[in-house]
Amino acid sequence: MLVLAVWQLIPTNVTQRVRDAATGRMKDTTIRRVPINLGLDLQGGIHLALEVDPSKGPVPDCADAIQRAEKVVRTRIDEFGTSEPVVQIQGRCRLIVELAGEKDPARAKSIIQRTAFLEFRITDMKNLFRDALPAIDKALQRAGVQASGQGAPAASVTQLFGTDTGKVKASKKPKGKAAAKDTTDLNAPGPLSSLLFQGQVPGEYLVPEEQVPVAESLLARPDVQRLIPRGIELKWGTEVLSRAGRSYRTLYAVEDRPIITGEYLQDAKATREPLTNQSVVNFVLSRRGGRVFERETGRHVNDYMAIILDGRVQGQPPIIKSQIGQRGQIELGAKPLQDAQDLALVLKAGALPAPLTIIEERSIGPSLGQDSIKDGITAGIVGVALVVLIMVTYYRWSGVLAVAALALYVVFTLAGLAGFGFTLTLPGLAGLALSVGIAVDANVLIFERIREELQHGKLVRTAVDEGFKHAMSAIIDSNVSTALTAFILYLVGTGPVQGFAITLIIGIAASMITAIFVVRTFYMIWLDRRPDMATLSV
């Protein structure tokens, strides 16, 4: 047992792929991993309190939404790689998340809060939105909205995107001087159309980055919403394109009915394409979802399909070249592999039943954790020293044997925490100090029974055997009752209480082993070497 315990406590070197902060590239790094996981209060980390966000829409039952969100968030955090995270419901409508040792709080919060609603929609192949732009411009002009003057002439569109794709309807170009004034219908001095350049994909529009807030405010107007063609919705893309020194945000007109949603998604994995070196997410649909996807993509061969996650179009919509079954792929282009891994994690974990908002955030620095470790170790040393002093003073040589067994007890307890992957918290240190007293409690029972047997005139070896035998029932009763109490604390308690209970349970098991077997073995070794002893210092 001692060899196994020491093996469990030996630190190991683990090779992990991490991102270089200077270059942004992934590289292999060797990390020295200590086998005992430290809790939030010992090594630092983040504490988040989340509630349902009512601004994103009414939620009939926040308690039910939080219960379902707890399962989704737990799955995401477990796959995120954080050791021993705490994900628990507090009250009825609050979710607590604690991530010990987390070095990237922004990434963790992003993964927790994302609703991950995946949709596949066909783009506006009939250019219904483009045809409605003149009517939208007239409505805005009647309302007193003036054009921003940011429109570019047709020559600029051709220079930026390779061809003048901004025409709404084919018509003969005017001759003479009128031709020089032709700026295409899309970039006419209309309040909305002057902000839009048609992209290379049907239903794709490009908006200058500095004009995005203006475009969003115009599209949100009720009079504009009424004129958007039925069956068409506008979705912003995640890409920002750079053309001729200017940045453009993508805007897509897509059908309002998805051909399939993420509810049929079964698995998602991130990888890199070996030929193009692009980050991609390969996904697998359920059998039913595969049939639906195959039928719908068969109806839309040669159409463009927008992949929408959380209301944002991911990358440029790909063209459907043939029917797609259960397996598909989301291409992220030149984005880092880490982004693809995060996307796959969120997709696989499922969608949140309601958007979550962070109402409380606390960051605990590693310096505070180091102070806690120092204070906890100091308290533990003082407690153990007092126990050693009392045992040696009162029981003399037998107390020395109990103290020797106590050293093995500490090793076994720490090895148990490491072997089962439990986390040592500040309350856990308190549980460790308490279990030291419990460990010698069993020895006290044994020593008192040996004293009674010696007072009855029995030989030393017989007194030792009888002492261990008769004290066994009392030791089992006291330790089992304490272990049951600790087990109940673990079941109904929260993070700190659970840390205390786990350490106490492992400590009780280690104390029974050391008190019953280790101390008895020490007695046997001592008596075998001193067969002439007629008395025993107990």
Side-chain angles (χ1 to χ4, degrees):
M1 288 186 64
L2 181 60
V3 171
L4 180 62
V6 172
W7 177 72
Q8 289 285 350
L9 293 173
I10 295 176
T12 56
N13 293 327
V14 179
T15 302
Q16 291 183 345
R17 292 188 64 82
V18 298
R19 188 178 305 283
D20 191 341
T23 63
R25 297 180 178 179
M26 302 298 291
K27 65 177 183 179
D28 290 336
T29 302
T30 301
I31 299 175
R32 188 75 166 172
R33 175 169 292 175
V34 179
I36 298 180
N37 299 320
L38 299 181
L40 183 68
D41 48 3
L42 296 183
Q43 65 169 323
I46 60 175
H47 168 95
L48 302 174
L50 304 103
E51 290 184 354
V52 175
D53 189 356
S55 64
K56 302 295 179 63
V59 179
D61 187 356
C62 68
D64 177 68
I66 283 293
Q67 288 178 355
R68 289 186 289 148
E70 187 263 345
K71 296 179 181 179
V72 175
V73 171
R74 184 180 297 278
T75 303
R76 293 182 185 180
I77 292 300
D78 288 343
E79 297 191 17
F80 186 56
T82 302
S83 61
E84 291 297 319
V86 174
V87 182
Q88 61 190 16
I89 298 175
Q90 186 181 74
R92 292 185 68 254
C93 301
R94 180 173 295 186
L95 187 65
I96 301 298
V97 178
E98 291 183 350
L99 305 177
E102 178 54 46
K103 305 268 190 314
D104 193 353
R107 179 185 170 214
K109 289 189 291 184
S110 173
I111 290 177
I112 291 172
Q113 288 185 287
R114 289 177 68 176
T115 55
F117 187 63
L118 178 67
E119 299 174 287
F120 296 89
R121 298 195 193 186
I122 302 300
T123 62
D124 183 13
M125 299 299 298
K126 298 179 180 179
N127 292 319
L128 298 178
F129 175 69
R130 190 182 69 179
D131 293 342
L133 275 175
I136 294 175
D137 284 333
K138 289 180 181 179
L140 290 173
Q141 288 170 348
R142 286 195 299 268
V145 180
Q146 300 296 323
S148 62
Q150 296 296 325
S156 299
V157 180
T158 305
Q159 181 180 0
L160 284 173
F161 308 113
T163 180
D164 185 5
T165 58
K167 295 182 179 180
V168 177
K169 294 181 180 179
S171 61
K172 294 182 179 180
K173 293 185 178 180
K175 297 181 180 179
K177 294 182 179 179
K181 297 180 181 179
D182 180 21
T183 59
T184 77
D185 292 335
L186 251 188
N187 294 289
L192 181 59
S193 59
S194 62
L195 303 178
L196 305 179
F197 297 95
Q198 187 171 343
Q200 297 177 345
V201 172
E204 180 185 59
Y205 301 89
L206 305 175
V207 182
E209 185 70 23
E210 66 276 8
Q211 296 296 326
V212 169
V214 179
E216 287 181 331
S217 64
L218 294 179
L219 292 172
R221 292 172 61 95
D223 49 351
V224 173
Q225 290 292 320
R226 285 194 297 267
L227 293 173
I228 293 177
R230 181 173 298 179
I232 296 296
E233 286 187 10
L234 299 177
K235 299 289 185 182
W236 289 98
T238 58
E239 285 190 326
V240 177
L241 304 179
S242 179
R243 297 289 188 274
R246 296 185 68 185
S247 297
Y248 295 85
R249 182 68 60 87
T250 52
L251 177 67
Y252 293 91
V254 297
E255 295 182 359
D256 61 352
R257 185 186 67 87
I259 61 176
I260 197 171
T261 63
E263 64 178 310
Y264 298 105
L265 191 82
Q266 284 191 332
D267 194 15
K269 293 182 179 179
T271 185
R272 279 196 182 276
E273 283 290 340
L275 298 180
T276 62
N277 201 34
Q278 289 186 338
S279 299
V280 298
V281 176
N282 296 312
F283 62 88
V284 180
L285 301 174
S286 64
R287 183 174 300 177
R288 180 183 175 188
R291 290 196 300 268
V292 174
F293 204 39
E294 185 176 15
R295 183 182 68 247
E296 292 294 331
T297 52
R299 292 170 51 192
H300 293 281
V301 174
N302 295 326
D303 289 347
Y304 287 86
M305 180 180 66
I307 302 169
I308 303 175
L309 181 69
D310 295 342
R312 295 274 181 171
V313 178
Q314 304 293 311
Q316 191 176 58
I319 188 172
I320 301 175
K321 298 180 181 179
S322 61
Q323 284 184 321
I324 305 174
Q326 281 186 266
R327 299 180 180 273
Q329 187 179 86
I330 300 175
E331 296 181 356
L332 300 183
K335 290 185 178 180
L337 183 61
Q338 183 69 64
D339 292 349
Q341 291 172 341
D342 289 348
L343 174 58
L345 188 157
V346 173
L347 292 176
K348 188 162 55 174
L352 289 171
L356 298 179
T357 181
I358 297 175
I359 63 169
E360 180 187 355
E361 177 181 353
R362 294 200 307 267
S363 295
I364 299 177
S367 59
L368 178 62
Q370 291 297 326
D371 293 339
S372 300
I373 294 175
K374 182 180 177 181
D375 294 342
I377 292 176
T378 301
I381 291 175
V382 172
V384 171
L386 290 175
V387 170
V388 169
L389 180 62
I390 293 172
M391 291 296 293
V392 173
T393 302
Y394 192 71
Y395 291 108
R396 291 176 288 180
W397 183 247
S398 295
V400 173
L401 297 182
V403 169
L406 199 61
L408 292 178
Y409 155 79
V410 174
V411 175
F412 291 158
T413 303
L414 295 178
L417 290 172
F420 290 104
F422 293 129
T423 299
L424 181 62
T425 60
L426 191 59
L429 288 177
L432 182 62
L434 176 61
S435 58
V436 169
I438 296 176
V440 297
D441 177 66
N443 292 126
V444 170
L445 293 174
I446 294 171
F447 294 162
E448 291 300 327
R449 293 308 301 257
I450 293 176
R451 269 183 173 174
E452 292 178 2
E453 299 299 333
L454 290 175
Q455 289 173 358
H456 285 87
K458 293 184 179 179
L459 297 176
V460 173
R461 183 145 197 154
T462 304
V464 171
D465 291 337
E466 293 295 326
F468 276 92
K469 179 181 178 181
H470 294 301
M472 188 65 64
S473 60
I475 293 173
I476 292 177
D477 289 345
S478 62
N479 283 277
V480 168
S481 60
T482 307
L484 287 175
T485 304
F487 183 68
I488 294 172
L489 286 176
Y490 177 77
L491 290 180
V492 302
T494 57
V497 177
Q498 287 181 332
F500 173 82
I502 288 173
T503 309
L504 189 57
I505 291 172
I506 295 178
I508 289 172
S511 69
M512 290 189 66
I513 293 174
T514 53
I516 297 173
F517 299 106
V518 176
V519 175
R520 185 184 180 92
T521 302
F522 286 167
Y523 264 124
M524 294 302 103
I525 294 174
W526 181 41
L527 293 175
D528 287 340
R529 293 187 177 184
R530 302 290 299 274
D532 56 333
M533 283 199 60
T535 61
L536 178 66
S537 298
V538 178

